[in-house]
Amino acid sequence: MKKRFLIFLLIIAPLCINAVHASEDNAKLQLLKEKHYETEGTIVTVKIPHVVNVKDDKVKKVINKLITQAIDDFTNEFKEFDKEPNTEHKLIADITFQNYDSDDKIISFAINATPIMADSDLQKKFYTVDLKTGEVYNIEHFLGSDYQNIVKKSVQQQIAENKEKYPNLMYFDEAVNNLKITNEQPFYINKDNQVVVVFNQFEIAPGYMSLPEFIIK
């Protein structure tokens, strides 16, 4: 039990550290309204944000559209449970948001969804947006054309170090050895302006390790 608790702390610590890094005057997501609905197969709570402190109205519309689309994608996914509803054990889901970093150039944030039935399954959609042009950046913008090798080598090295320091951590060796990094790789920018790549739950490690994150220096 103690070992599992320590592993849990290792997983959530980066989330707490990197949760928000933005002055009150910087762009950020802010709660607009909360919606709760229940169907035959689901019980869903949605915290709907909007972006504030963005001067350019066109950029503001781009970001708010990304938010709306992400929430719609998650809710449409949950509606699949209504096709074959389980009235005894409904899907319970929360949709919320997370600010990572922002300055006068970019904003980095995520829309999160946590559906729960027998187990919880954390899902995130990450966005890093240019506050002057509205361009949604991919990982290549920050790491250059060799981003695939840079990310692969860094992640593999960090995993090797993690396994040596914390023997209780587990990774899927085959998945790690055959990492395929694309321009769609989920990432965010942290408070130190570093790229943090994120892997989906169960992609390279067991579910109890949530979404593994790695800072690419």
Side-chain angles (χ1 to χ4, degrees), residues 14 28 43 56 67 109-110 120 155 194 199 202-203 213 217:
K28 61 182 177 182
I43 301 174
D56 191 307
I67 294 168
F109 64 91
S120 63
V155 169
Q194 298 168 312
F199 293 90
F202 306 105
E203 185 176 358
E213 299 185 356
K217 297 182 180 179

Side-chain angles (χ1 to χ4, degrees), residues 7-89:
I7 293 172
F8 177 74
L9 289 178
L10 289 171
I11 294 169
I12 67 169
L15 296 178
C16 297
I17 293 171
N18 292 316
V20 178
H21 174 64
S23 75
E24 290 302 316
D25 296 328
N26 285 350
K28 61 182 177 182
L29 301 195
Q30 183 172 283
L31 182 64
L32 177 64
K33 59 183 177 181
E34 186 168 326
K35 181 180 178 181
H36 179 86
Y37 64 89
E38 184 171 349
T39 64
E40 287 187 79
T42 63
I43 301 174
V44 181
T45 300
V46 188
K47 291 181 178 173
I48 304 172
H50 65 149
V51 68
V52 297
N53 299 336
V54 175
K55 296 179 181 178
D56 191 307
D57 287 338
K58 290 183 179 179
V59 174
K60 187 183 295 184
K61 287 180 180 179
V62 168
I63 296 173
N64 285 329
K65 186 176 180 179
L66 290 171
I67 294 168
T68 300
Q69 186 61 59
I71 292 174
D72 287 346
D73 288 345
F74 281 133
T75 53
N76 288 334
E77 180 182 330
F78 300 152
K79 287 178 182 177
E80 291 295 314
F81 286 85
D82 287 331
K83 293 181 179 179
E84 296 181 6
N86 184 333
T87 55
E88 293 184 4
H89 302 285

